[in-house]
Amino acid sequence: MLKATAVAATFCAVAGAGIVGYGETTAQAAQAKTQTPTQSQAQAQAQAQSASSTAARHGHGDRNRHSFTGTKKIRVGGYSVNVSCSGHSAGRKPVVVLMAGGGDGLDTMAGLQKSLSEKARVCSYDRLGEGESDQPHGTQTINDSSRILTGVLDRVTGDRPVVLAGHSLGGLIAARYAPDHRDRVKGLVLMDATIPALTAGVSKAIPDSATGMAAELRDQTIAVNEGQNPEKFIIADAKVRSAGNIPVQIIRHESQYAEVPGYGPALEEMWAEGQEQWRALSGRSRISVAAGSGHYIHVDRPDIAVKAVQRVTAQATARS
């Protein structure tokens, strides 16, 4: 049980995916039926229920396709995509779009969305294979995920600028999307985003000579990156491209790998170096460490996540 728990916890940090950081693994899902939820899980569930209740009270209000409030299904590229929007903002203030980690649905961002909605228009969505959205027809690449994101933005933001705030795999997708959509993306917040070259990084941090939990962690991480995850998404290593001189806030966890015998320090170094690489997105990139946080920064330290998104949104508004 200790081994399974340690591996599952590390998965959430390494890739933000399935068994190595993709959110909830198959093993975790099975354990959840018999184990008491952790404090972070219980907090996330409570936040999701509160946000859902608020959305239900307001209703859908779809007289304006870009300003509905609540959760609804929209059609994008032949798929049904689950979307949640709340809050209001005036003028050219960017719409905040939250992007959950791999293996997670938009409900994991509900607490953050509720807080941010007090001062801004905020939307989130389930990517294909996650939450209440349709399953993808086959393997997905970053281009496939980007097309779905573009379709969602067309429906929920129209021609308004956006700030993308992504956790884990959601952060990686946001960071890959922004360089090709500078006319639309005016700011980024990356919360422990999956690093730019995870496969190479974990292969270096945990060599072929490793055995036990560490070897299992490495092999499962690579398998997840090759598409063995709920989204069938290939998490490919690639260089970081510039998204222009937009405000970018990069936040990484304080501690996540202590339970990996012998290789915890190497994994932490790998992750920290990967977060530094994201700074190449913009000359206005800032990086910080969320004290007391594990991989789920927006759950462990929601105060830090809220302030980061609000700061980047304010900076993006000032430039528009």
Side-chain angles (χ1 to χ4, degrees), residues 74-131:
I74 63 174
R75 298 296 296 180
V76 178
Y79 292 99
S80 175
V81 178
N82 191 43
V83 178
S84 172
C85 289
S86 52
H88 302 278
S89 60
R92 295 294 295 171
K93 184 176 181 179
V95 177
V96 176
V97 177
L98 303 177
M99 302 177 64
D104 293 331
L106 61 80
D107 59 310
T108 64
M109 310 298 284
L112 179 59
Q113 180 167 336
K114 182 181 180 182
S115 296
L116 293 170
S117 295
E118 295 176 2
K119 297 181 179 181
R121 175 72 172 165
V122 187
C123 295
S124 57
Y125 74 106
D126 289 329
R127 292 190 298 277
L128 299 185
E130 307 287 10

Side-chain angles (χ1 to χ4, degrees), residues 124-248:
S124 57
Y125 74 106
D126 289 329
R127 292 190 298 277
L128 299 185
E130 307 287 10
E132 299 298 320
S133 290
D134 283 349
Q135 295 294 314
H137 297 319
T139 299
Q140 296 193 91
T141 66
I142 187 62
N143 291 333
D144 299 311
S145 187
S146 293
R147 280 192 290 271
I148 296 298
L149 176 53
T150 294
V152 170
L153 296 182
D154 286 344
R155 288 292 303 275
V156 302
T157 69
D159 61 354
R160 295 184 61 181
V162 300
V163 166
L164 299 180
H167 167 244
S168 199
L169 181 62
L172 178 141
I173 293 173
R176 299 294 192 209
Y177 183 84
D180 293 325
H181 299 84
R182 299 188 188 190
D183 59 326
R184 176 171 247 166
V185 180
K186 302 304 180 181
L188 288 169
V189 178
L190 308 182
M191 295 172 283
D192 225 29
T194 300
I195 62 176
L198 179 59
T199 296
V202 76
S203 297
K204 178 181 178 181
I206 305 177
D208 291 340
S209 58
T211 59
M213 180 198 301
E216 183 180 356
L217 176 62
R218 179 200 60 222
D219 294 345
Q220 291 175 324
T221 301
I222 293 173
V224 165
N225 293 352
E226 292 175 345
Q228 296 182 35
N229 57 67
E231 299 177 42
K232 300 180 182 177
F233 182 78
I234 296 176
I235 309 171
D237 290 356
K239 292 182 179 180
V240 178
R241 296 183 296 129
S242 174
N245 198 34
I246 64 173
V248 176

Side-chain angles (χ1 to χ4, degrees), residues 35-46:
Q35 293 181 340
T36 301
T38 64
Q39 182 177 0
S40 292
Q41 289 171 331
Q43 183 179 358
Q45 291 168 358

